[in-house]
Structure formats: C-alpha cells, structure tokens
Amino acid sequence: MAAALLRALVLFSLLLPLYSSSSSSSSSADASKKTFIVQVHGDSKPSIFPTHKHWYESSLASITSNKATDATSSSSNGPILHTYENVFHGFSAKLSPSEVEKLQTLPHIASIIPEQVRHPHTTRSPEFLGLKTTDSAGLLKESDFGSDLVIGVIDTGIWPERQSFNDRDLGPIPSEWKGQCVAAKDFPATSCNRKLIGARFFCSGYEATNGKMNETSEYRSPRDSDGHGTHTASIAAGRYVFPASTLGYARGKAAGMAPKARLAAYKVCWNAGCYDSDILAAFDAAVSDGVDVVSLSVGGVVVPYYLDAIAIGAFRAVEAGVFVSASAGNGGPGGLTVTNVAPWVTTVGAGTMDRDFPADVKLGNGRVILGTSVYGGPALVPGRLYPLIYAGTEGGDGYSSSLCLEGSLNPNSVNGKIVLCDRGINSRAAKGEVVKKAGGLGMILANGVFDGEGLVADCHVLPATAVGATGGDEIRKYIAEAVKSQSPPTATILFKGTRLGVRPAPVVASFSSRGPNPESPEIVKPDVIAPGLNILAAWPDKIGPSGIPTDKRAIEFNILSGTSMACPHVSGLAALLKAAHPGWSPAAIKSALMTTAYTLDNRGETMLDESSGNTSTVLDFGAGHVHPQKAMDPGLIYDLNTYDYVDFLCNSNYTAKNIQVITGKIADCSGAKRAGHTGNLNYPSLSVVFQQYGKHKMSTHFIRTVTNVGDANSIYKVTIKPPSGISVTVEPERLAFRRVGQKLSFLVRVHAMAVKLSAGSSSMKSGYVVWTDGKHVVTSTLVVTMQQPLQ
C-alpha cells in the first residue's frame, strides 16, 4: 500500500501541469510553461512538409494563440527543443497548460509526457571480478577485450585527453558505426580517436528550463565539467594505465571492464541536472549511431513506464538489440528506493570490494574508532593528540553547526581543533572546507542513524575521516563526559593508506537503493550488484578530487562511490559478453549475468548489509553479485523479446494507449491472457505478492522457458530451496536437451499459508530454483511476499 500511495503522489505531481487552469492571462501562461515530450502517431509525415520538424512546428503554430511563444522560446532553434526519429516519434517543446490542452485535441498527437529532471547517481575492480590479462582463457580473451563493440555512455560528457581513452593498438573504427564527433568550443574534432569514436551533447531541454548556460562554469560541448561522465566511461571501457592512483591511494594498474571496446559519449547532464527531453534525444542518437550497449548512471523518481523517458528510450533501444544498464540509485538503505525499474533495463546496485582506505580516530581515552578516508595532504603530527569538539555544541544554531553548514561555525571555538560534524544537507567534502575556513585542523564526519555503518572514502581538503553512526555516538559521548569532568577531549586521525584482502567482501553498500520494485512488484529489482564503493577511475583536469570549487589539486584518477560506479561495470561486462556471443539478445546477456551471480562473500557466508552489519537479502542485491567468468558460459538462458514485454504490460493493466507510448506500436493484448499474469514474464527471477484479504491458503504458478547455450546433449536436474514455510514444486524436474539453441519449458507452483500481519504490513521470504547439469549451475531467485491490506 505504501508503494501504491507513493506512486500516486508522484504521478499527481507530474501530471498536475497537464490539468492546471488555462484561464489565466497570456503572461502568466508563459511563466507557467514547462517542457513536455510529445509523441506523434506513427511516422506518417504529410508530404507538404519537407521535414518532421517543419510538421511539428506547424502543429505548434496551429494551437498557439499568440506569436510570442516562438519569440520567447529559450531555444535558438525555435519552439522545438528536440525531434525524435529512432527510439520515439515526436518532439519536445515548452508548453503552457492551455497549449497542452489544445495539442491533445490534434488527431496525430498520441501522448504528452511531462519532463522529469534527473541527477547522476554519484582499480582493483577488474581483478576483484576475476578479469585478469594474464589468463590464457576467459571472458577477456574470448571477447578480445570487447574490441569493436561500442558502449554509449549517457552522462556528463568526457575528458578525451585522459590516457584511459588512448587508441594505441586499436584497429580501425567499426565499419557499421554511423556516429559523429561533434566539434565545439574546447572540443575539436580531433578529440575523438579510434577509442572515443563518438561524442555529442544535448542541452536544449536544460536551457529551456534554466536559460542559456553559463559557459564560464560549464562547456557547451561534449567536454566534461563535472567528472562523473569521465569516471563512468573509464570504468566501462578504460584502457590499461600504469601507474594509477589518487593522492597515493589505490596504487596499481587502472583498467575498465572492456579495455578494447569503443566509447561514444552523450552529454545530457549539466549543472542543474539531466533533463528527460535531452536524455531521450541521446537515446535516439545512440541507437541511430549504432551503439551495442547504453550505460546510464542517472535516475529520478519512479513513475509508470509510459511517463518515464528512460523506460521509453530503453525499450526502443532493447528492441534494436542494444543492452541497457542503469544505476539503481543511491537512496539506500531504506526499502522501496530502487529506480530505473523497467524489466527491459538491467538495474545495478552497488557492493564493496576487498580493498579499503582505513583512517581511524584515536580518542584521548585510548579508544580507537574505525573510519575511512582518501586524504593525501600533510598529515597530523604522529603521536600528538589535538583538542576535539562537537560542532553541534559550538554554534549559535545547534542544528546548522552540527552539520557544519556554510557560515555556521564560530572560528573562536574551532580554531586549532579537530571538529566532529554530522552527515547531511551539504556534501561530505564541503563540510571539511567549512571546518578548514573556520580554522579547524581536522574533521571527523559521523553518519546519522539512517546512514548506519556504511562508510564512503572522500578526498578531503584537510585531515578528515568518516565514521559510522555507532562510532559517532561514542565520540559524542566521550566529548560530553570529558567536558563534564573538566578534562579537555582530545583525538587524532591515523591514516593507514590502502588495505587489500579485506574480509568480508563483497558487502552491499549502505547507499545502494533497495527493493521491492515500486512499479512492478513481480519483477525483483535491483537485478544484480557490482563494485560501486571507492572506485578508482579517470578524472578531468580543472576539477579537484573533492569536487568543490576551491579545490585546485590536479589528479588524473579519482576515487568515487555510488551505483553510478556499479552500473558501468555491468555495461562493460555486457560488451564483453556480446563480443563473445554475438547472437545473444539483451535479455540473454542479462540472464547470463543474473543466473550466475553469487550471494556468498569471501568468508563463504551470505553477503552482509553494510548499513547494519546484518545479513542482506534479495531486496538488497537482487540475483547477487556479478561473476563475469561464469556469465560467459551460463548453460541456460531465459530469453525475452518485445512481444513478451507487451504481454507483461497488458497484464500490468496498462491501457493500449499507455503501451503504445512505450512501444510505438498499437498493442495486441490478446496473447497476454495466454501468458497468464505479470509473473509469467520469462524473467530470470520469480516474484509473487499474495494479498491475504482473509484468505487462509494462496497459490500461484510461473511458466518459464530456458534456452540451452551450453553443451549439445545435456540433462539438467532441478533443486528447490523454498522460502521458509512456503511449498514449491517444479514440473518437470528434469530437462533433457539434445542440441544447442533448444528451448524447454517448466512450471513452478507456489503454495503459501496466511501469516499473521498487522494492517498494511508485509512479510518477504526468498528461496531459489536451481538447475544443474553437473557443469553449469543456473540459479533463479524466488521471492514470496505476503501482504496484509489496510482494513
């Protein structure tokens, strides 16, 4: 019920502009203009118009009551911001409520979608994943390191001069490539090479809302003025670079997942965010250009798929054979926070690696509190303890000062001391700058209760470290007791560099967004997790490692965390898998990654949740952590095509018009009844939500079809690990394949007894259905949720 209420509120807020009063004056109507994405039926452009754009402009002119609309458009190209021809037929434009109403009456207008603003979900990982250049066989070898596959990165742009994007020893640009290297100020055409083979930028949607960009603070070109896009692109497909480190941390060789894959950068994110109209234009260009994989590390609120530009663009991309991976979001550790949840998108959460950067706090009473940091400046004097204060007790406004917000600290209280700041509101690195400007010598950044024990290492501008919520409480208690006993509190920070072989690993990162899926509970999201904490990757010039404007330190690599960093790991792995198996569909690649994923850490126990230290669940990690080598040879795959997704949408009670917005075609829902229900989408995981409604017994079934991609003559036998208290049967229990490519189906029956729950609450239990032929192990997660409706 909570998920349904959340969806309703979000939907209301997005649709409100469509139904606002249109009786206001012309000037107020102009002020209320917002950007909309307009879908046009089919591709039936009247012959009197030379281009689609002329046709669309004519449509707008027919409903515009005064000519000021065109004149006041913030786009230099007139009222049309973008036209879409590949993943979508239509255009985007700024429209008033009255113009929206009039446009809806035109016969060729299929739908009008309010724009959403999204934001980025801000190197040892290849080795941690088992990708080693010295292997004589394996995924890197079999795929020729991803050579000739093209990964399109939709993000903040790219810094092309980085060594991660050099084209040494690469062959010619693939002959099928149709993309462009768009030259602009600060980005000559020579910025591209045989590695970075395409670069475009899309800013019309951004400027329509925010006015003309300030070109002193960002580039009107594919060049990256943020760092996020450069970082994600090099994670996906960066070349081998040695030596690589950030301020002396994580020394070694930096490499992306698919070092020989080609890159195309599509810049859609600017200072104020990433606008749907620009994102859809990037999808449109990427598919037309000929990318094989789209990597998208941005997200927003979850809405129905027909209102979600990412879901729409991704559907058409997948239909064209393009694999789409997207970040799950950084809204964890709370539930129902996962984003980018469409079943045709591979949704990636974040885990830790077996490497960290310890920076512990030693208190005056001898206690040591574990922390983490990537600080590379002058250290504190060894063996010396410094005066320690809690910022929340030293400022006039205790709340602002506790968070170390700009201007909240009293220099007389802070000068020469280590300051304990609470996490929240402003960025972690910005808090350090506030402390430094007030004269502080160091900072301890304490998690709040919601953050739990999850720690992120930052490149601070002064000696600083991050500690968990429990550690923060202990430090505050120590300070209070010391002050009470009139014994001044003291501390120091012990920076210990880079530590390898950390156990346990992987652990689900505290920030990684969690399920259940707010839009489609029958589809488990995230799909998988991949390394996303403290990831070393390429970084632009002119941006300090902390990301704050006053930080002038120059680095070639930076260490960042987020599902933004996890997503390109999977994008690169998808390119490797597609290179090794050219005939595999996007769904087949996703299936291989999911059914071979693992859930045990390097101690042999179920992965932990970083925020609590407790055992994590499928709502945290989905199918598990990706295992590239096993994914290359999964044995069986669960394949899907666009007709299967249409059946899923039909059974999700989407109207024919809703479905047409997503697919671009008139929906035929007659086959959906044969599919049965939404849970029968041939997905690699299985999920059911039982609404109890006073029922004592509940049951359902799943039909799945697997395709043999392993050995020609193979017999698979099933092992069932049912959720606790749930009865699960599989028919048949044995699948005998005679040839590669053969498809066989099986039926999973689930029987559950009602459990005692309070109104509006739910209970989730998980298990597995596992097929094995003695060589391959094909694992599908099974999730059963019991829900007690509100009475």
Side-chain angles (χ1 to χ4, degrees), residues 120-121 296-299 325-329 339-340 346-349 563-565 567:
H121 289 145
L296 183 71
S297 289
V298 304
S325 60
S327 47
T339 64
N340 294 322
T346 299
T347 310
V348 188
T563 56
S564 279
M565 284 65 248
C567 168

Side-chain angles (χ1 to χ4, degrees), residues 364-383:
N365 62 6
R367 288 281 295 160
V368 175
I369 310 297
L370 301 183
T372 188
S373 178
V374 182
Y375 169 70
L380 300 173
V381 177

Side-chain angles (χ1 to χ4, degrees), residues 119-122 228 297-300 327-334 337-340 348-350 423 428 450-451 456 509-514 532 561-567:
H119 298 278
H121 289 145
T122 223
H228 189 272
S297 289
V298 304
S327 47
N330 297 340
T337 51
V338 65
T339 64
N340 294 322
V348 188
R423 186 170 163 183
R428 298 182 300 271
F450 182 79
D451 303 306
V456 176
S510 178
F511 56 77
S512 186
S513 290
R514 313 302 212 260
S561 299
T563 56
S564 279
M565 284 65 248
C567 168

Side-chain angles (χ1 to χ4, degrees), residues 393-661:
T393 61
E394 299 297 330
D397 173 4
Y399 176 72
S400 297
S401 60
S402 70
L403 296 167
C404 296
L405 301 182
E406 183 69 36
S408 67
L409 299 182
N410 180 351
N412 294 329
S413 302
V414 169
N415 189 52
K417 298 173 183 174
I418 293 176
V419 181
L420 175 67
C421 302
D422 293 338
R423 186 170 163 183
I425 307 297
N426 56 341
S427 77
R428 298 182 300 271
K431 293 175 189 295
E433 184 185 37
V434 170
V435 171
K436 185 177 182 180
K437 286 199 303 191
L441 287 181
M443 179 185 69
I444 303 167
L445 181 59
N447 280 358
V449 174
F450 182 79
D451 303 306
E453 302 309 307
L455 300 179
V456 176
D458 293 301
C459 296
H460 291 287
V461 295
L462 82 170
T465 189
V467 300
T470 303
D473 288 342
E474 184 170 346
I475 297 171
R476 286 187 209 92
K477 183 180 178 182
Y478 162 70
I479 293 172
E481 290 177 348
V483 170
K484 193 173 182 181
S485 65
Q486 296 185 337
S487 172
T490 57
T492 190
I493 303 172
L494 308 173
F495 297 98
K496 299 182 178 180
T498 304
R499 181 174 62 173
L500 303 177
V502 173
R503 294 164 69 91
V507 170
V508 179
S510 178
F511 56 77
S512 186
S513 290
R514 313 302 212 260
N517 185 330
E519 178 62 17
S520 302
E522 306 82 5
I523 304 297
V524 178
K525 291 286 182 173
D527 291 306
V528 291
I529 64 170
L533 183 73
N534 301 333
I535 304 300
L536 178 79
W539 193 248
D541 287 338
K542 301 183 181 179
I543 304 171
S546 67
I548 56 180
T550 57
D551 186 359
K552 303 302 181 184
R553 292 173 293 179
I555 55 171
E556 186 165 347
F557 294 90
N558 201 3
I559 293 172
L560 297 184
S561 299
T563 56
S564 279
M565 284 65 248
C567 168
H569 279 89
V570 170
S571 307
L573 295 178
L576 294 178
L577 289 170
K578 191 162 187 176
H581 302 282
W584 280 10
S585 68
I589 294 171
K590 177 197 280 193
S591 175
L593 289 166
M594 289 177 67
T595 61
T596 60
Y598 62 91
T599 60
L600 302 181
D601 60 27
N602 53 9
R603 306 168 305 165
E605 299 177 22
T606 301
M607 287 185 288
L608 298 181
D609 180 341
E610 186 191 30
S611 68
S612 65
N614 298 328
T615 301
S616 57
T617 73
V618 295
L619 297 183
D620 306 324
F621 54 67
H625 193 286
V626 291
H627 193 306
Q629 300 292 11
K630 286 188 177 179
M632 187 179 72
D633 183 18
L636 304 175
I637 56 170
Y638 294 82
D639 211 352
L640 284 163
N641 57 41
T642 51
Y643 297 106
D644 298 316
Y645 293 126
V646 169
D647 286 348
F648 167 81
L649 294 169
C650 291
N651 286 321
S652 299
N653 296 320
Y654 277 45
T655 66
K657 184 178 180 181
N658 294 156
I659 297 171
Q660 187 176 359
V661 174

Side-chain angles (χ1 to χ4, degrees), residues 14 18 35-39 88 111-116 276 280 305-309 312 661:
L14 281 171
L18 284 170
T35 300
F36 292 85
I37 297 169
V38 182
Q39 185 183 38
F88 192 80
S111 65
I112 302 176
I113 304 168
E115 179 169 67
Q116 191 182 150
D276 271 357
L280 193 59
Y305 305 130
Y306 60 88
L307 292 174
D308 186 342
I312 294 167
V661 174

